[in-house]
Amino acid sequence: MKNTLLILGDQLTLENTALDAGEIGRDRVLLIEARDSGPAHKIKRVFHLAALKAFAEELRGHGWEVEHHRIGDTPAFREALRGHLQKNLPSALIAMEPNNWSQLKALEEVTAETGIPLRLTPTCQFVSPRAEFLKSAQGKKRLLMESHYRRMRQELGVLMLSDGEPEGGAWNFDSENRKTVRDWKKDGAPNPPRPLTSQRPQDPIVLEAIAEVNRWFPNDPGRAEDFWLPHTREGALKLLEEFVGKRLVLFGDYQDLMLLDSPTMFHSIIAAPLNLGLLLPMECIDAAIRAYRDGRAPIAAVEGFVRQIIGWREFVNGVYWLKMPDYLASNSLEATRPLPDFFYSGDTSMNCLRSVIGEVRDTAYNHHIQRLMILGNFLLLAGIDPQQSHDWFLEMYIDAHEWVMAANVLGMALHADGGFMATKPYAASAAYISKMSNYCTGCTYDPAKKTGPGACPFNLLYWDFYDRHADRFASNPRTSMMVNSWKKRPEPEREKIRNEARRFLDGLVSK
Ligand SMILES: Cc1cc2nc3c(=O)[nH]c(=O)nc-3n(C[C@H](O)[C@H](O)[C@H](O)COP(=O)(O)OP(=O)(O)OC[C@H]3O[C@@H](n4cnc5c(N)ncnc54)[C@H](O)[C@@H]3O)c2cc1C
Ligand code: SF4
C-alpha cells in the first residue's frame, strides 16, 4: 500500500527524513500551497511559493510521484490535507516533525479525523534533537543561551581543541564584535553591499509566483516584483558562498552597526533559505569554519557566526517547543498600547524608525540589531502590546516563522516572558543608537537631549520605562543600577520626564 509523504512548505530539502522513510515508485509525495495563513509581506509570499514549486520539480526529477496542490485549488491547508487523505486512503501519513506548533496540531487532528495513521520522522533542520533540548531544560526556571551554546560546541566538536578548550582561547569574541560608527570611519568606511532589491526577477517559476501573489493577496504589504532572494537550493548555496567569500571577514567587526541605506551590512541574509530547508545549519557552519582554516576570515567573525546558528537559532527553537502553546500569550510587563500605524507607513519623524521600517517595507528584511535595538527597543519602551508586535514581525519578515519569532520577539525583544530567556531587557536610550548608527545625523530630534523641545523620544521612553517597572527591575542585579540612578534624580526632573513621555505616547496614532 502507498504511503503519503507530506513535505511542509518550510521543509524543502532532499534530506527531509520523511523521504528516507518512503520509497520512490511506491509512495507519493504531497505538497500543499495554501492561502489560509495570516497576512504576509508579498516578497515573503513569493519566496515561499516559488521555492515550493521549484522543489516539486526537483522531486519529480529524482523520480518521485508528486501531488502538488496549487494555490488556486486550495483555500485551506487542513481542507487540502483532509481531501487528499479521504480520497487516497494511504497506509500512513509520514511527515518530518513540523517546525511550528499549529502545523503539528493540524497533522494530528486531520489524521485523527480521517483515521489515517500519522508517523513523524526527526527533523533535519536543526542540529540538536528537539527531545534532547526539552530534556536538558526540564525543571529550569530560566535558560541561558550561553550554557546551551557551550554544550553544543562540545558535543559537536565545533571550534574545539583536542584538550577540550575553545579555539582562539575564548568561548566568544563579543567585545571585538561591537565596532561603532566612529570605528567604521576610522577603518576607512568599508563599503557595505548594494541594496537588496536591485535585481529584477526573471525565472519563470518566480514570475508565476509573483502573478499568483498579486492575484490572491493584493492587500498584503510590500511589492511582489521586488523579490530578491534565490528560491532554489542551488541559489541558496551560492548565497552562502558569496557571504563566506565576501562578507564573513567583516561580519564580526560590524555585526552591531546600522547604517542608513545599508540594509544587510555584512550579515549573511541566509535565515530565509535556512528556515525553508534550502540550506542546512551544519553546512553553513562548516563553510564558515573552512574560511577560518584557510585564513580567509578571523576567529572573531567565524565564532560570531557559529554562535548565531548553533547558539541562538537552536536555542530559540528549543524555547519555543518547551513553552508552547502558552508562550504566545506572554505579557509579563502588562503592555497594552496598540501598535502605532507608522509601523506600516513608516510615517514618523524619528529617523531611525523611519529608515528601518522603510527597509522592511521595501525588502522584507532588517538585520538583527535593527530588529532588536530599534524596533524591539521602541516596542518595549513604549509598552506596545506583545501579541500585536509579534504578529507584525511575523507578517513583515522574509525569514519569519512562528518557531523563531516567538522567543525572539516575546522573550528577547519585549521581555514579555518575565526574563525566562534574557536576564535583562534589551532597553536602550538614544546614546546607544547614536553610537551604533548614523541615523541620528539629520534627525529632527537630538540624541543628546534628555527633555524639552527636540529631546529624543528614546531618552524619555527609556527612563519612563524604568519608572513604570522600577519595582520589578530594582531586584535584578543587571538592572538595579538603572533603577537606582532614576530614583536618585530630583522629583521635579522625574515628573518632567514622565509628563513628556506621556505626551509622546498619547500622540501615537493607531487604528
Ligand atoms: C525582534 C526579532 C525578530 C526576529 N525575527 C526572526 C525571524 O523571523 N526569523 C529568523 O530567522 N530570525 C529572526 N530573528 C533573529 C535574527 O535577527 C535573524 O535571524 C537575522 O537578522 C537574519 O538575518 P541574517 O540571515 O542576515 O542573519 P545573520 O546576522 O547573518 O546571522 C546568521 C544566522 O544566524 C541565525 N540567527 C542569528 N540570530 C538568531 C536569533 N536570535 N534567532 C534565531 N536565529 C538566529 C539565523 O539563521 C541567521 O541567518 C529575530 C530577532 C529579533 C530580535
Ligand atoms: S535622535 Fe532619537 S529618534 Fe532620532 S534617529 Fe537618533 S535615536 Fe532615533
Side-chain angles (χ1 to χ4, degrees), residues 243 251 255 264 266-272 274-275 305 307-309 312-314 316-317 365-369 371-373 375-376 393-394 397-401 403-405 408-409 412-413:
F243 164 67
F251 170 81
Q255 205 173 332
T264 69
F266 300 97
H267 289 262
S268 67
I269 52 175
I270 60 161
L274 190 55
N275 294 347
F305 180 70
R307 161 181 297 261
Q308 305 308 318
I309 307 236
W312 280 110
R313 184 173 185 272
E314 299 277 324
V316 299
N317 182 54
Y365 176 88
N366 289 135
H367 75 67
H368 183 68
I369 296 301
R371 299 183 201 201
L372 183 63
M373 300 309 293
L375 301 170
F393 275 103
L394 195 56
Y397 286 83
I398 190 153
D399 47 37
H401 300 262
W403 68 263
V404 62
M405 207 43 102
N408 270 306
V409 175
M412 196 189 304

Side-chain angles (χ1 to χ4, degrees), residues 316 319-320 324 327-328 390 394 401-413 417 421:
V316 299
V319 169
Y320 174 77
M324 279 299 282
Y327 200 73
L328 289 184
H390 172 270
L394 195 56
H401 300 262
E402 192 181 90
W403 68 263
V404 62
M405 207 43 102
N408 270 306
V409 175
L410 301 170
M412 196 189 304
D417 65 356
M421 61 160 285

Side-chain angles (χ1 to χ4, degrees), residues 24 74 230 290 304 343:
I24 294 175
T74 316
R290 268 199 307 279
F343 266 72

Side-chain angles (χ1 to χ4, degrees), residues 179-193:
K179 285 200 174 184
T180 62
V181 173
R182 197 183 289 169
D183 298 324
W184 178 71
K185 286 183 184 155
K186 255 200 275 161
D187 294 348
N191 241 349

Side-chain angles (χ1 to χ4, degrees), residues 237-254:
L237 284 170
K238 279 199 191 125
L239 189 75
L240 174 65
E241 197 183 294
E242 188 189 288
F243 164 67
V244 171
K246 294 190 183 154
R247 298 194 296 279
L248 176 61
V249 63
L250 292 176
F251 170 81
D253 279 357
Y254 302 114

